[in-house]
Amino acid sequence: MSADRLPSQAARPPAVEAAYVTPAALDALLRAGRSLMGEIRFGLAAGDPAAPHPQAQVGMAQLNDPPLIEAWLSRQPVSYHRAGRIRFARNDEVLFGCIALADVAPAGFEQVVRGCYAEILPFLDAQGYPQLMRMWNYFPAINAALDDLDRYQCFCRGRFEALQDYYAGQFDQRLPAASAVGSHDGDLVIYFIAAKTPGRHCENPRQMSAYHYPPQYGPRSPSFARATLKRLDNSAHLYISGTASIVGHESLHLGDPRAQLEETLENIRALIERVERDDRLAFGGLDGLTHLKVYIRYPEHLALIQPRLDALFGPQVARLYLAADICRAELLMEVEAIARTP
Ligand code: 3EB
């Protein structure tokens, strides 16, 4: 029997996994012994405010029926805490944290973002989970003008300054997978998963690294990796960043939602293939995907996006469709994903 088939290893559950589930299905998972590390509600009423786990509401309508909760679950014991503005849950391997801020004034937005990141980074070091694996950033009016920039560009500058200050010479190597997407109303919501030990941050052969984008997209480039690979149990988990119809650094297929979707899927396929080669892993290409979160600027485009994804993916790939604004005005959609080796 080869070492990777030892029963003791096969029995080890992943420290954290995503579930896009109805409230009833979530209750069933919790009754079956899973612990909730975090709960994100898109376009839904708030959960139980007395519950101990990190939770956030995001102002994006769900286009799928029935609506689902994004839950992050653990099969290990979890403890719940607060530090400053951060609510978090942790187990022996990973930490899930969340900051939600109401009523952020446009004028101070960049400094607020910088302040959030400047709070999160030393917090993770102090907790002993210094390795960011995945970050999500949601805020309203992402395409609105703010001084001579737009709000996304201000977000990028605030995030960059804090990450650059903290990571300094290690900046490029430490950036995690991320999404930064525009909600229609509500709070600035930043949530993240970090680990005690590092994952590997990956880039996409079809796309320029976002942190190298030229200045035409803003004074400070977006600070994220295209994906983060992490071995959590016997399988490798690949957290794929928000991915859009961008090749090199350019947006393609302006005004053409079908073509933007195909280019986005091709970007995801190429990224997975690159990781399979570099890390000698077998995700099975797009068949390795387990979760898709699809952000759609114009809800009427669901009618062409959903049937295409239904044709490509079976019911084992959980899908969440959200009405959202994408960071570049010409982008009609963005897709983030999780893949896992069998
Ligand atoms: C892109 O490829 C599309 O600023 O954190 C995707 C994922 C995008 C994350 C971010 C932005 C971010 O540039 C936009």
Side-chain angles (χ1 to χ4, degrees), residues 137 152 159 178-180 207 213 222 224 226 241-242 244 246 327 334:
N137 308 272
Y152 175 63
R159 172 174 61 175
S179 298
Q207 298 186 301
Y213 281 170
F224 68 97
R226 296 297 179 184
S241 293
I246 295 175
C327 59
E334 182 172 314

Side-chain angles (χ1 to χ4, degrees), residues 268-312:
I268 293 173
R269 196 198 54 71
L271 174 69
I272 294 173
E273 185 175 284
R274 163 62 67 90
V275 176
E276 288 182 318
R277 280 210 224 171
D278 287 354
D279 295 81
R280 295 163 180 271
L281 290 168
F283 288 98
L286 288 179
D287 290 341
L289 293 170
T290 59
H291 294 77
L292 290 174
K293 224 156 112 191
V294 184
Y295 304 98
I296 302 178
R297 185 184 291 278
Y298 301 111
E300 59 268 30
H301 290 163
L302 181 72
L304 52 104
I305 294 171
Q306 192 168 34
R308 174 69 176 133
L309 297 182
D310 287 348
L312 278 173

